[in-house]
Amino acid sequence: MGRAAGRRPAGRAGPAAQPARGEVLARASAEIDIAGTLLEQAAARADEGPVDEQVVARNLRDVALAVESAVAAVERLFRTAGVAAQQEDSVLQRAWRDVHTLGAHGALDWEAAAAEYARTHPTAPAC
């Protein structure tokens, strides 16, 4: 028997890889749920008013963190999915491209959102 005889066909993960994939899926889905909750809360604050600069800064912070979490989740899923995720017709490839485009938007920059939050919440306890 040659060296390749014991190998699995391409795209088939061995039993040891299955728990790792489950962990990636669980973490990514939790990160996406957290991002969704942050976005819902930001929308509720904006809709329910009054909206002052502290509310705006908090919403910027929450939306930037939600996008950062979504990018991390999709990135993790994309890496775990392997080469198949890179096909043009892959739903995951499309999600990866879309979320990275969103994450590159200047208005969603985490550092800028954090600085604005700190500026408008000067009495917040220092870490």
Side-chain angles (χ1 to χ4, degrees), residues 42-105:
R45 280 190 297 271
D47 289 344
E48 293 165 6
V51 176
D52 59 17
E53 72 174 359
Q54 287 185 331
V55 171
V56 171
R58 183 174 179 188
N59 280 359
L60 284 172
R61 179 202 68 180
D62 288 358
V63 171
L65 185 61
V67 169
E68 192 174 86
S69 295
V71 169
V74 172
E75 183 69 32
R76 190 175 291 108
L77 290 169
F78 189 76
R79 283 193 318 262
T80 302
V83 175
Q86 297 180 23
Q87 301 298 319
E88 267 188 57
D89 61 345
S90 167
V91 172
L92 192 51
Q93 188 262 52
R94 174 65 188 260
W96 182 90
R97 199 174 62 230
D98 289 350
V99 79
H100 276 273
T101 300
L102 182 63
H105 195 286

Side-chain angles (χ1 to χ4, degrees), residues 105-123:
H105 195 286
L108 301 173
D109 177 68
W110 170 251
E111 289 80 15
E116 182 64 11
Y117 181 80
R119 184 189 72 74
T120 62
H121 291 77
T123 59

Side-chain angles (χ1 to χ4, degrees), residues 10 15-16 18 23 30 37 39 42-43 47 50 70 92 119 122:
Q18 295 305 318
E23 185 177 325
T37 299
L39 294 173
D47 289 344
L92 192 51
R119 184 189 72 74

